[in-house]
Amino acid sequence: MNLKHVKLACLFFLLSCNAPAYSQLQEWSAGFRIGEPGGFMARRYSDNGINALEVNIGTYGGLWGTDRKYQDGTFNNIGYSINVLYLWHHPTIINSDLHTYYGFGPQLNSRDWYANKVGNNLAASKRASAMGGTAVGGIEYFPIDAPNLSFFSEIGFYTEIAPNPFFFHLQGGIGVRVNF
């Protein structure tokens, strides 16, 4: 084995020892998501490094479903949403800076609802609040050059429990988090 191979092996060893430290989870993270629901999120990681509790506050119906049939009327606007997710978080085998996560939790929504047309007039709107369950799965990248930042993409769904059981809505988005 020549000196070039020894240097290369030492470099590989040093890089592999340091890589997990860059992608270790912090205690908290906060960020923004563009998507459904869109808005602000805060996440608290558990001491085991696997689980997290995330709270999302933001808009609902902005990307998929701004003008959408609902019961005997329609949603023609964007409302607001609050959800709480219990998550499982794992680094991938391919790259320790790339993590996957999945989870579920309750979600509350509120939007203006318009009854079906009566003659040529559209009935006045009323605020429609709803409660249901949401499930999400995503992938998150922790750049080596900025270990306190992470970028994510996720997909999921919301199914309503009340007042319209089994109303289904696709959710997901992209965003950034600051980990501290």
Side-chain angles (χ1 to χ4, degrees), residues 8 13 20 27 51-52 63-64 69 87 96 111 116 119 122 128 146 161 169-170:
L8 189 59
F13 175 75
E27 288 185 41
N51 301 106
L63 291 181
W64 301 306
K69 292 181 191 284
L87 300 168
S96 64
R111 292 175 73 180
N116 285 334
L122 186 63
I161 296 170
H169 188 83
L170 184 64

mmCIF file with all atom_site columns, all heavy atoms in Angstrom, residues 8 13 20 27 51-52 63-64 69 87 96 111 116 119 122 128 146 161 169-170:
data_model
loop_
_atom_site.group_PDB
_atom_site.id
_atom_site.type_symbol
_atom_site.label_atom_id
_atom_site.label_alt_id
_atom_site.label_comp_id
_atom_site.label_asym_id
_atom_site.label_entity_id
_atom_site.label_seq_id
_atom_site.pdbx_PDB_ins_code
_atom_site.Cartn_x
_atom_site.Cartn_y
_atom_site.Cartn_z
_atom_site.occupancy
_atom_site.B_iso_or_equiv
_atom_site.pdbx_formal_charge
_atom_site.auth_seq_id
_atom_site.auth_comp_id
_atom_site.auth_asym_id
_atom_site.auth_atom_id
_atom_site.pdbx_PDB_model_num
ATOM 1   N N   . LEU A 1 8   ? -5.620  8.582  1.695  1.00 0.00 ? 8   LEU A N   1
ATOM 2   C CA  . LEU A 1 8   ? -7.024  8.466  1.291  1.00 0.00 ? 8   LEU A CA  1
ATOM 3   C C   . LEU A 1 8   ? -7.833  7.703  2.339  1.00 0.00 ? 8   LEU A C   1
ATOM 4   O O   . LEU A 1 8   ? -8.946  8.106  2.686  1.00 0.00 ? 8   LEU A O   1
ATOM 5   C CB  . LEU A 1 8   ? -7.121  7.781  -0.072 1.00 0.00 ? 8   LEU A CB  1
ATOM 6   C CG  . LEU A 1 8   ? -8.492  7.762  -0.725 1.00 0.00 ? 8   LEU A CG  1
ATOM 7   C CD1 . LEU A 1 8   ? -9.016  9.169  -0.931 1.00 0.00 ? 8   LEU A CD1 1
ATOM 8   C CD2 . LEU A 1 8   ? -8.415  7.028  -2.052 1.00 0.00 ? 8   LEU A CD2 1
ATOM 9   N N   . PHE A 1 13  ? -11.680 7.819  6.829  1.00 0.00 ? 13  PHE A N   1
ATOM 10  C CA  . PHE A 1 13  ? -11.973 7.516  8.226  1.00 0.00 ? 13  PHE A CA  1
ATOM 11  C C   . PHE A 1 13  ? -12.392 8.770  8.984  1.00 0.00 ? 13  PHE A C   1
ATOM 12  O O   . PHE A 1 13  ? -13.370 8.767  9.734  1.00 0.00 ? 13  PHE A O   1
ATOM 13  C CB  . PHE A 1 13  ? -10.762 6.860  8.895  1.00 0.00 ? 13  PHE A CB  1
ATOM 14  C CG  . PHE A 1 13  ? -10.943 6.622  10.354 1.00 0.00 ? 13  PHE A CG  1
ATOM 15  C CD1 . PHE A 1 13  ? -11.747 5.585  10.817 1.00 0.00 ? 13  PHE A CD1 1
ATOM 16  C CD2 . PHE A 1 13  ? -10.336 7.455  11.293 1.00 0.00 ? 13  PHE A CD2 1
ATOM 17  C CE1 . PHE A 1 13  ? -11.937 5.365  12.168 1.00 0.00 ? 13  PHE A CE1 1
ATOM 18  C CE2 . PHE A 1 13  ? -10.532 7.245  12.642 1.00 0.00 ? 13  PHE A CE2 1
ATOM 19  C CZ  . PHE A 1 13  ? -11.325 6.200  13.092 1.00 0.00 ? 13  PHE A CZ  1
ATOM 20  N N   . PRO A 1 20  ? -21.771 11.835 11.208 1.00 0.00 ? 20  PRO A N   1
ATOM 21  C CA  . PRO A 1 20  ? -22.946 11.764 12.063 1.00 0.00 ? 20  PRO A CA  1
ATOM 22  C C   . PRO A 1 20  ? -23.127 12.981 12.962 1.00 0.00 ? 20  PRO A C   1
ATOM 23  O O   . PRO A 1 20  ? -24.234 13.356 13.277 1.00 0.00 ? 20  PRO A O   1
ATOM 24  C CB  . PRO A 1 20  ? -22.717 10.501 12.889 1.00 0.00 ? 20  PRO A CB  1
ATOM 25  C CG  . PRO A 1 20  ? -21.802 9.665  12.063 1.00 0.00 ? 20  PRO A CG  1
ATOM 26  C CD  . PRO A 1 20  ? -20.922 10.657 11.364 1.00 0.00 ? 20  PRO A CD  1
ATOM 27  N N   . GLU A 1 27  ? -32.647 19.833 20.082 1.00 0.00 ? 27  GLU A N   1
ATOM 28  C CA  . GLU A 1 27  ? -33.841 19.682 20.918 1.00 0.00 ? 27  GLU A CA  1
ATOM 29  C C   . GLU A 1 27  ? -35.081 20.252 20.259 1.00 0.00 ? 27  GLU A C   1
ATOM 30  O O   . GLU A 1 27  ? -36.174 19.720 20.406 1.00 0.00 ? 27  GLU A O   1
ATOM 31  C CB  . GLU A 1 27  ? -33.629 20.363 22.276 1.00 0.00 ? 27  GLU A CB  1
ATOM 32  C CG  . GLU A 1 27  ? -32.667 19.627 23.173 1.00 0.00 ? 27  GLU A CG  1
ATOM 33  C CD  . GLU A 1 27  ? -32.582 20.282 24.536 1.00 0.00 ? 27  GLU A CD  1
ATOM 34  O OE1 . GLU A 1 27  ? -33.621 20.699 25.081 1.00 0.00 ? 27  GLU A OE1 1
ATOM 35  O OE2 . GLU A 1 27  ? -31.466 20.380 25.052 1.00 0.00 ? 27  GLU A OE2 1
ATOM 36  N N   . ASN A 1 51  ? -38.305 10.138 18.172 1.00 0.00 ? 51  ASN A N   1
ATOM 37  C CA  . ASN A 1 51  ? -39.645 10.719 18.164 1.00 0.00 ? 51  ASN A CA  1
ATOM 38  C C   . ASN A 1 51  ? -39.600 12.239 18.277 1.00 0.00 ? 51  ASN A C   1
ATOM 39  O O   . ASN A 1 51  ? -38.638 12.807 18.778 1.00 0.00 ? 51  ASN A O   1
ATOM 40  C CB  . ASN A 1 51  ? -40.487 10.144 19.304 1.00 0.00 ? 51  ASN A CB  1
ATOM 41  C CG  . ASN A 1 51  ? -40.610 8.652  19.192 1.00 0.00 ? 51  ASN A CG  1
ATOM 42  O OD1 . ASN A 1 51  ? -39.991 7.921  19.944 1.00 0.00 ? 51  ASN A OD1 1
ATOM 43  N ND2 . ASN A 1 51  ? -41.372 8.194  18.223 1.00 0.00 ? 51  ASN A ND2 1
ATOM 44  N N   . ALA A 1 52  ? -40.682 12.866 17.803 1.00 0.00 ? 52  ALA A N   1
ATOM 45  C CA  . ALA A 1 52  ? -40.811 14.315 17.903 1.00 0.00 ? 52  ALA A CA  1
ATOM 46  C C   . ALA A 1 52  ? -42.291 14.668 17.967 1.00 0.00 ? 52  ALA A C   1
ATOM 47  O O   . ALA A 1 52  ? -43.151 13.907 17.502 1.00 0.00 ? 52  ALA A O   1
ATOM 48  C CB  . ALA A 1 52  ? -40.164 14.996 16.704 1.00 0.00 ? 52  ALA A CB  1
ATOM 49  N N   . LEU A 1 63  ? -53.513 25.433 -1.796 1.00 0.00 ? 63  LEU A N   1
ATOM 50  C CA  . LEU A 1 63  ? -52.960 24.836 -3.007 1.00 0.00 ? 63  LEU A CA  1
ATOM 51  C C   . LEU A 1 63  ? -53.890 23.819 -3.644 1.00 0.00 ? 63  LEU A C   1
ATOM 52  O O   . LEU A 1 63  ? -54.105 23.838 -4.849 1.00 0.00 ? 63  LEU A O   1
ATOM 53  C CB  . LEU A 1 63  ? -51.621 24.156 -2.693 1.00 0.00 ? 63  LEU A CB  1
ATOM 54  C CG  . LEU A 1 63  ? -50.466 25.059 -2.341 1.00 0.00 ? 63  LEU A CG  1
ATOM 55  C CD1 . LEU A 1 63  ? -49.220 24.241 -2.094 1.00 0.00 ? 63  LEU A CD1 1
ATOM 56  C CD2 . LEU A 1 63  ? -50.211 26.066 -3.440 1.00 0.00 ? 63  LEU A CD2 1
ATOM 57  N N   . TRP A 1 64  ? -54.392 22.898 -2.845 1.00 0.00 ? 64  TRP A N   1
ATOM 58  C CA  . TRP A 1 64  ? -55.251 21.835 -3.369 1.00 0.00 ? 64  TRP A CA  1
ATOM 59  C C   . TRP A 1 64  ? -56.629 21.969 -2.746 1.00 0.00 ? 64  TRP A C   1
ATOM 60  O O   . TRP A 1 64  ? -56.860 21.504 -1.645 1.00 0.00 ? 64  TRP A O   1
ATOM 61  C CB  . TRP A 1 64  ? -54.678 20.457 -3.030 1.00 0.00 ? 64  TRP A CB  1
ATOM 62  C CG  . TRP A 1 64  ? -53.319 20.243 -3.565 1.00 0.00 ? 64  TRP A CG  1
ATOM 63  C CD1 . TRP A 1 64  ? -52.918 20.382 -4.863 1.00 0.00 ? 64  TRP A CD1 1
ATOM 64  C CD2 . TRP A 1 64  ? -52.160 19.861 -2.838 1.00 0.00 ? 64  TRP A CD2 1
ATOM 65  N NE1 . TRP A 1 64  ? -51.585 20.115 -4.980 1.00 0.00 ? 64  TRP A NE1 1
ATOM 66  C CE2 . TRP A 1 64  ? -51.092 19.783 -3.746 1.00 0.00 ? 64  TRP A CE2 1
ATOM 67  C CE3 . TRP A 1 64  ? -51.916 19.569 -1.511 1.00 0.00 ? 64  TRP A CE3 1
ATOM 68  C CZ2 . TRP A 1 64  ? -49.819 19.427 -3.372 1.00 0.00 ? 64  TRP A CZ2 1
ATOM 69  C CZ3 . TRP A 1 64  ? -50.635 19.223 -1.134 1.00 0.00 ? 64  TRP A CZ3 1
ATOM 70  C CH2 . TRP A 1 64  ? -49.612 19.150 -2.065 1.00 0.00 ? 64  TRP A CH2 1
ATOM 71  N N   . LYS A 1 69  ? -65.854 21.222 -3.748 1.00 0.00 ? 69  LYS A N   1
ATOM 72  C CA  . LYS A 1 69  ? -67.170 20.802 -3.258 1.00 0.00 ? 69  LYS A CA  1
ATOM 73  C C   . LYS A 1 69  ? -67.034 20.241 -1.845 1.00 0.00 ? 69  LYS A C   1
ATOM 74  O O   . LYS A 1 69  ? -66.104 19.508 -1.555 1.00 0.00 ? 69  LYS A O   1
ATOM 75  C CB  . LYS A 1 69  ? -67.767 19.741 -4.165 1.00 0.00 ? 69  LYS A CB  1
ATOM 76  C CG  . LYS A 1 69  ? -68.142 20.257 -5.534 1.00 0.00 ? 69  LYS A CG  1
ATOM 77  C CD  . LYS A 1 69  ? -68.762 19.151 -6.367 1.00 0.00 ? 69  LYS A CD  1
ATOM 78  C CE  . LYS A 1 69  ? -68.893 19.548 -7.807 1.00 0.00 ? 69  LYS A CE  1
ATOM 79  N NZ  . LYS A 1 69  ? -69.926 20.438 -8.122 1.00 0.00 ? 69  LYS A NZ  1
ATOM 80  N N   . LEU A 1 87  ? -44.313 12.189 15.578 1.00 0.00 ? 87  LEU A N   1
ATOM 81  C CA  . LEU A 1 87  ? -43.475 11.731 14.469 1.00 0.00 ? 87  LEU A CA  1
ATOM 82  C C   . LEU A 1 87  ? -42.413 10.728 14.907 1.00 0.00 ? 87  LEU A C   1
ATOM 83  O O   . LEU A 1 87  ? -41.940 10.762 16.040 1.00 0.00 ? 87  LEU A O   1
ATOM 84  C CB  . LEU A 1 87  ? -42.760 12.935 13.845 1.00 0.00 ? 87  LEU A CB  1
ATOM 85  C CG  . LEU A 1 87  ? -43.653 14.032 13.283 1.00 0.00 ? 87  LEU A CG  1
ATOM 86  C CD1 . LEU A 1 87  ? -42.826 15.266 12.979 1.00 0.00 ? 87  LEU A CD1 1
ATOM 87  C CD2 . LEU A 1 87  ? -44.382 13.551 12.054 1.00 0.00 ? 87  LEU A CD2 1
ATOM 88  N N   . SER A 1 96  ? -26.352 9.805  6.211  1.00 0.00 ? 96  SER A N   1
ATOM 89  C CA  . SER A 1 96  ? -26.804 10.175 7.549  1.00 0.00 ? 96  SER A CA  1
ATOM 90  C C   . SER A 1 96  ? -27.315 11.613 7.610  1.00 0.00 ? 96  SER A C   1
ATOM 91  O O   . SER A 1 96  ? -27.947 11.997 8.584  1.00 0.00 ? 96  SER A O   1
ATOM 92  C CB  . SER A 1 96  ? -25.681 9.968  8.566  1.00 0.00 ? 96  SER A CB  1
ATOM 93  O OG  . SER A 1 96  ? -24.602 10.827 8.282  1.00 0.00 ? 96  SER A OG  1
ATOM 94  N N   . ARG A 1 111 ? -62.960 27.224 7.509  1.00 0.00 ? 111 ARG A N   1
ATOM 95  C CA  . ARG A 1 111 ? -63.045 27.895 6.208  1.00 0.00 ? 111 ARG A CA  1
ATOM 96  C C   . ARG A 1 111 ? -64.451 28.439 6.020  1.00 0.00 ? 111 ARG A C   1
ATOM 97  O O   . ARG A 1 111 ? -65.393 27.995 6.671  1.00 0.00 ? 111 ARG A O   1
ATOM 98  C CB  . ARG A 1 111 ? -62.749 26.917 5.072  1.00 0.00 ? 111 ARG A CB  1
ATOM 99  C CG  . ARG A 1 111 ? -61.325 26.461 5.035  1.00 0.00 ? 111 ARG A CG  1
ATOM 100 C CD  . ARG A 1 111 ? -61.100 25.414 3.997  1.00 0.00 ? 111 ARG A CD  1
ATOM 101 N NE  . ARG A 1 111 ? -61.123 25.975 2.658  1.00 0.00 ? 111 ARG A NE  1
ATOM 102 C CZ  . ARG A 1 111 ? -60.957 25.252 1.566  1.00 0.00 ? 111 ARG A CZ  1
ATOM 103 N NH1 . ARG A 1 111 ? -60.774 23.964 1.646  1.00 0.00 ? 111 ARG A NH1 1
ATOM 104 N NH2 . ARG A 1 111 ? -60.995 25.796 0.388  1.00 0.00 ? 111 ARG A NH2 1
ATOM 105 N N   . ASN A 1 116 ? -75.006 25.638 -1.978 1.00 0.00 ? 116 ASN A N   1
ATOM 106 C CA  . ASN A 1 116 ? -75.255 25.584 -3.418 1.00 0.00 ? 116 ASN A CA  1
ATOM 107 C C   . ASN A 1 116 ? -76.154 26.734 -3.839 1.00 0.00 ? 116 ASN A C   1
ATOM 108 O O   . ASN A 1 116 ? -76.944 27.250 -3.050 1.00 0.00 ? 116 ASN A O   1
ATOM 109 C CB  . ASN A 1 116 ? -75.893 24.251 -3.808 1.00 0.00 ? 116 ASN A CB  1
ATOM 110 C CG  . ASN A 1 116 ? -74.879 23.133 -3.784 1.00 0.00 ? 116 ASN A CG  1
ATOM 111 O OD1 . ASN A 1 116 ? -73.692 23.352 -3.952 1.00 0.00 ? 116 ASN A OD1 1
ATOM 112 N ND2 . ASN A 1 116 ? -75.363 21.925 -3.552 1.00 0.00 ? 116 ASN A ND2 1
ATOM 113 N N   . GLY A 1 119 ? -81.490 29.388 -7.250 1.00 0.00 ? 119 GLY A N   1
ATOM 114 C CA  . GLY A 1 119 ? -81.819 30.265 -8.385 1.00 0.00 ? 119 GLY A CA  1
ATOM 115 C C   . GLY A 1 119 ? -80.536 30.822 -8.961 1.00 0.00 ? 119 GLY A C   1
ATOM 116 O O   . GLY A 1 119 ? -79.604 30.092 -9.267 1.00 0.00 ? 119 GLY A O   1
ATOM 117 N N   . LEU A 1 122 ? -76.005 33.127 -5.045 1.00 0.00 ? 122 LEU A N   1
ATOM 118 C CA  . LEU A 1 122 ? -75.159 32.277 -4.213 1.00 0.00 ? 122 LEU A CA  1
ATOM 119 C C   . LEU A 1 122 ? -75.441 32.651 -2.765 1.00 0.00 ? 122 LEU A C   1
ATOM 120 O O   . LEU A 1 122 ? -75.422 33.812 -2.397 1.00 0.00 ? 122 LEU A O   1
ATOM 121 C CB  . LEU A 1 122 ? -73.675 32.505 -4.540 1.00 0.00 ? 122 LEU A CB  1
ATOM 122 C CG  . LEU A 1 122 ? -72.672 31.599 -3.862 1.00 0.00 ? 122 LEU A CG  1
ATOM 123 C CD1 . LEU A 1 122 ? -72.895 30.152 -4.294 1.00 0.00 ? 122 LEU A CD1 1
ATOM 124 C CD2 . LEU A 1 122 ? -71.257 32.009 -4.204 1.00 0.00 ? 122 LEU A CD2 1
ATOM 125 N N   . ALA A 1 128 ? -67.197 27.348 8.509  1.00 0.00 ? 128 ALA A N   1
ATOM 126 C CA  . ALA A 1 128 ? -67.304 25.908 8.726  1.00 0.00 ? 128 ALA A CA  1
ATOM 127 C C   . ALA A 1 128 ? -66.040 25.428 9.425  1.00 0.00 ? 128 ALA A C   1
ATOM 128 O O   . ALA A 1 128 ? -64.944 25.550 8.883  1.00 0.00 ? 128 ALA A O   1
ATOM 129 C CB  . ALA A 1 128 ? -67.492 25.174 7.407  1.00 0.00 ? 128 ALA A CB  1
ATOM 130 N N   . ALA A 1 146 ? -24.313 23.801 6.689  1.00 0.00 ? 146 ALA A N   1
ATOM 131 C CA  . ALA A 1 146 ? -25.220 24.571 7.554  1.00 0.00 ? 146 ALA A CA  1
ATOM 132 C C   . ALA A 1 146 ? -25.958 23.589 8.458  1.00 0.00 ? 146 ALA A C   1
ATOM 133 O O   . ALA A 1 146 ? -27.131 23.296 8.256  1.00 0.00 ? 146 ALA A O   1
ATOM 134 C CB  . ALA A 1 146 ? -26.197 25.372 6.707  1.00 0.00 ? 146 ALA A CB  1
ATOM 135 N N   . ILE A 1 161 ? -63.364 13.828 10.515 1.00 0.00 ? 161 ILE A N   1
ATOM 136 C CA  . ILE A 1 161 ? -64.218 13.037 11.409 1.00 0.00 ? 161 ILE A CA  1
ATOM 137 C C   . ILE A 1 161 ? -65.564 13.733 11.582 1.00 0.00 ? 161 ILE A C   1
ATOM 138 O O   . ILE A 1 161 ? -66.608 13.108 11.511 1.00 0.00 ? 161 ILE A O   1
ATOM 139 C CB  . ILE A 1 161 ? -63.522 12.821 12.764 1.00 0.00 ? 161 ILE A CB  1
ATOM 140 C CG1 . ILE A 1 161 ? -62.254 11.990 12.561 1.00 0.00 ? 161 ILE A CG1 1
ATOM 141 C CG2 . ILE A 1 161 ? -64.465 12.167 13.753 1.00 0.00 ? 161 ILE A CG2 1
ATOM 142 C CD1 . ILE A 1 161 ? -61.370 11.913 13.787 1.00 0.00 ? 161 ILE A CD1 1
ATOM 143 N N   . HIS A 1 169 ? -58.648 14.966 2.029  1.00 0.00 ? 169 HIS A N   1
ATOM 144 C CA  . HIS A 1 169 ? -57.927 16.097 1.457  1.00 0.00 ? 169 HIS A CA  1
ATOM 145 C C   . HIS A 1 169 ? -56.431 15.776 1.426  1.00 0.00 ? 169 HIS A C   1
ATOM 146 O O   . HIS A 1 169 ? -55.854 15.408 2.453  1.00 0.00 ? 169 HIS A O   1
ATOM 147 C CB  . HIS A 1 169 ? -58.177 17.346 2.309  1.00 0.00 ? 169 HIS A CB  1
ATOM 148 C CG  . HIS A 1 169 ? -57.636 18.602 1.717  1.00 0.00 ? 169 HIS A CG  1
ATOM 149 N ND1 . HIS A 1 169 ? -58.319 19.324 0.768  1.00 0.00 ? 169 HIS A ND1 1
ATOM 150 C CD2 . HIS A 1 169 ? -56.482 19.259 1.936  1.00 0.00 ? 169 HIS A CD2 1
ATOM 151 C CE1 . HIS A 1 169 ? -57.601 20.382 0.440  1.00 0.00 ? 169 HIS A CE1 1
ATOM 152 N NE2 . HIS A 1 169 ? -56.482 20.357 1.131  1.00 0.00 ? 169 HIS A NE2 1
ATOM 153 N N   . LEU A 1 170 ? -55.810 15.897 0.258  1.00 0.00 ? 170 LEU A N   1
ATOM 154 C CA  . LEU A 1 170 ? -54.378 15.682 0.092  1.00 0.00 ? 170 LEU A CA  1
ATOM 155 C C   . LEU A 1 170 ? -53.613 16.838 0.730  1.00 0.00 ? 170 LEU A C   1
ATOM 156 O O   . LEU A 1 170 ? -54.032 17.989 0.634  1.00 0.00 ? 170 LEU A O   1
ATOM 157 C CB  . LEU A 1 170 ? -54.039 15.595 -1.397 1.00 0.00 ? 170 LEU A CB  1
ATOM 158 C CG  . LEU A 1 170 ? -52.601 15.280 -1.756 1.00 0.00 ? 170 LEU A CG  1
ATOM 159 C CD1 . LEU A 1 170 ? -52.217 13.893 -1.277 1.00 0.00 ? 170 LEU A CD1 1
ATOM 160 C CD2 . LEU A 1 170 ? -52.411 15.379 -3.253 1.00 0.00 ? 170 LEU A CD2 1
#
